[in-house]
């Protein structure tokens, strides 16, 4: 009589169950027989590099931060384009000069808009 | 447990190729060869500790290379460097958060006594004022060989710990504390300045 071809899978599942269960059972026995558990308020506390943890884990950032990002973009992009503009200033044709002025005006317009909206005023 | 084995019989059996051991020996053998230190450094001693962990000195030869960034997984605290009074509560809290059995190596002159800053206002005069230290390493800073030696001393200390009986290891005693009080900032100094249950300095005798 030939054994069932799926028998080895059953054996495999059995071994896969027993193999991790033996160390777990041994560890449980070890704790029962030898090692007394010693829990404590600090041992069970949330681990935070030695300092006591403060506040909640789920904090939210204020949506006001997006204004910072936009205004930073205005100043940053302006500064990046102003440097090559200043370097090549004396050799620029009139068309390029007007183009860069338009570009600057657009950014300054944005700054004035943000200013008039009161975005430069940081509240709380 | 190992007291149960007659040493003469044991060596006779070993000559015949039969190796006899006890649960205690197996337990200690396994523990002493896989000590996981807590990964933190306080001052220049930490640089020597890093050198010890790196390839040239290679603490992995002794089974202690797995520096863990969490006290939950660490067995050994290497206090490597100057413990300022601002840092001392954090050290004690980290020690409290480590799982038993746990060991402490005080590395360098500062960690064992305050070292060159002993007379200063802001340096703790030895971490053994708050937590029990197993091995002290003198030196400023100690060389990596000194840390390896301390590690081997700790291994032999672990090897001698008893599993049962009257003088069994402290982590197996239910009454022995696993946490020690964390000092707090007082008006002038840490409160208390030392834990009297831990800190027992030898009495100074002057002729």
């Amino acid at each position: 009589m030939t054994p069932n071809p799926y028998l080895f899978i059953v054996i495999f599942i059995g071994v896969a169950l027993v193999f991790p269960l033996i160390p777990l059972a041994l560890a449980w026995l070890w704790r029962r027989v030898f090692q007394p558990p010693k829990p404590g308020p600090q041992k069970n506390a949330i681990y935070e590099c030695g300092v006591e943890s403060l506040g909640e884990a789920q904090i939210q950032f204020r949506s006001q931060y997006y204004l910072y990002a936009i205004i930073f973009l205005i100043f940053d992009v302006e500064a990046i384009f102003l440097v090559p503009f200043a370097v090549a200033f004396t050799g620029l044709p009139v068309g390029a000069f007007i183009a860069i002025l338009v570009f600057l005006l657009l950014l300054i317009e944005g700054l004035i808009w943000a200013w008039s909206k009161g975005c430069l005023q940081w509240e709380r | 447990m190992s007291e149960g084995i007659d040493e003469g019989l044991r060596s006779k059996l070993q000559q015949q190729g039969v190796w006899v051991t006890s649960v205690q020996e197996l337990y200690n053998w396994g523990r002493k060869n896989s000590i996981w230190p807590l990964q933190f450094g306080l001052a220049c001693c930490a640089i020597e500790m890093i050198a010890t962990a790196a390839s040239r000195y290679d603490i992995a030869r002794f089974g202690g290379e797995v520096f863990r960034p969490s006290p939950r997984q660490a067995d050994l605290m290497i206090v490597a460097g100057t413990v300022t009074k601002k840092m001392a509560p954090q050290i004690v809290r980290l020690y409290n958060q480590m799982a038993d059995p746990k060991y402490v190596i005080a590395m360098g002159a500062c960690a064992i006594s305050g070292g060159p800053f002993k007379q200063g206002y802001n340096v703790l005069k030895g971490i053994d004022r708050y937590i029990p230290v197993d091995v002290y390493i003198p030196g400023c800073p100690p060389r990596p060989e000194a840390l390896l030696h301390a590690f081997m001393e700790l291994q032999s200390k672990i090897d001698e710990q008893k599993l049962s009986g009257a003088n069994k290891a402290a982590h197996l005693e239910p009454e022995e504390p696993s946490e020690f009080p964390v000092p707090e900032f007082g008006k002038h100094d840490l409160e208390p300045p030392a834990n009297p249950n831990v800190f027992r300095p030898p009495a100074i005798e002057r002729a």
Side-chain angles (χ1 to χ4, degrees):
Chain A
M1 178 189 148
T2 53
N4 192 318
Y6 289 109
L7 183 64
F8 80 97
I9 291 181
V10 175
I11 295 170
F12 192 78
I13 289 172
V15 171
L17 277 176
V18 169
F19 193 73
L21 281 180
I22 287 174
L24 283 175
L26 278 177
W28 182 81
L29 262 180
W30 186 271
R31 191 183 68 78
R32 288 299 297 265
V33 177
F34 290 110
Q35 191 147 349
K38 293 179 183 178
Q42 284 180 18
K43 214 176 197 178
N44 296 345
I46 299 163
Y47 160 63
E48 205 170 298
C49 300
V51 290
E52 276 177 286
S53 53
L54 285 170
E56 293 292 313
Q58 280 122 18
I59 57 164
Q60 290 177 330
F61 285 97
R62 292 178 67 84
S63 58
Q64 238 179 347
Y65 279 106
Y66 91 95
L67 287 174
Y68 251 137
I70 289 175
I71 295 168
F72 169 78
L73 205 70
I74 292 176
F75 286 114
D76 196 53
V77 172
E78 199 166 352
I80 286 172
F81 281 101
L82 269 179
V83 172
F85 172 59
V87 169
F89 183 68
T90 47
L92 278 183
V94 179
F97 181 73
I98 290 169
I100 199 84
L101 273 188
V102 168
F103 171 73
L104 280 181
L105 273 175
L106 279 174
L107 284 175
I108 288 168
E109 189 192 355
L111 178 63
I112 290 167
W113 174 82
W115 203 338
S116 62
K117 277 278 195 180
C119 295
L120 297 186
Q121 209 75 35
W122 183 247
E123 281 157 18
R124 274 160 288 133
Chain B
M1 292 223 171
S2 68
E3 291 88 24
I5 304 171
D6 179 36
E7 280 302 316
L9 177 66
R10 186 175 169 160
S11 67
K12 212 173 234 174
L13 279 169
Q14 221 153 31
Q15 282 163 10
Q16 299 298 318
V18 181
W19 187 60
V20 184
T21 185
S22 61
V23 175
Q24 175 180 302
E25 277 177 20
L26 266 178
Y27 174 61
N28 285 340
W29 174 75
R31 284 192 315 133
K32 77 172 187 181
N33 288 309
S34 74
I35 299 174
W36 291 14
L38 185 60
Q39 186 181 36
F40 78 102
L42 297 176
C44 26
C45 280
I47 305 297
E48 300 293 313
M49 184 176 73
I50 293 161
T52 316
S55 57
R56 189 179 176 95
Y57 296 97
D58 197 10
I59 206 169
R61 294 176 294 156
F62 303 91
E65 79 278 19
V66 193
F67 280 81
R68 304 309 293 180
S70 163
R72 310 278 193 227
Q73 304 164 351
D75 307 310
L76 168 66
M77 178 180 240
I78 302 176
V79 185
T82 316
V83 186
T84 56
K85 282 175 182 169
K86 188 139 192 176
M87 197 65 199
Q90 275 77 272
I91 302 275
V92 179
R93 198 172 285 116
L94 280 179
Y95 178 80
N96 288 344
Q97 286 178 340
M98 281 163 67
D100 275 305
K102 47 192 173 185
Y103 304 93
V104 179
I105 291 179
M107 182 182 183
C110 296
I112 66 178
S113 70
F117 314 110
K118 191 179 175 73
Q119 309 300 329
Y121 65 96
N122 63 335
V123 171
L124 187 71
K125 294 163 183 62
I127 192 62
D128 55 353
R129 281 162 188 260
Y130 294 117
I131 55 177
V133 174
D134 292 282
V135 185
Y136 296 84
I137 321 174
C140 187
R143 283 192 57 83
E145 291 93 332
L147 181 56
L148 288 179
H149 181 233
F151 203 81
M152 289 158 75
E153 288 292 321
L154 181 70
Q155 283 183 327
S156 60
K157 191 172 179 175
I158 292 173
D159 205 24
E160 285 162 12
Q161 287 195 317
K162 297 274 181 290
L163 204 56
S164 55
N167 51 354
K168 61 182 171 186
H171 68 275
L172 303 175
E173 297 273 11
E175 280 78 36
E176 286 283 328
S178 176
E179 288 186 7
F180 294 95
V182 175
E184 286 176 6
F185 299 112
K187 198 179 176 193
H188 299 295
D189 198 359
L190 287 174
E191 297 286 344
N195 184 354
N197 297 324
V198 175
F199 186 51
R200 296 189 190 90
I204 299 168
E205 290 175 25
R206 291 199 174 85

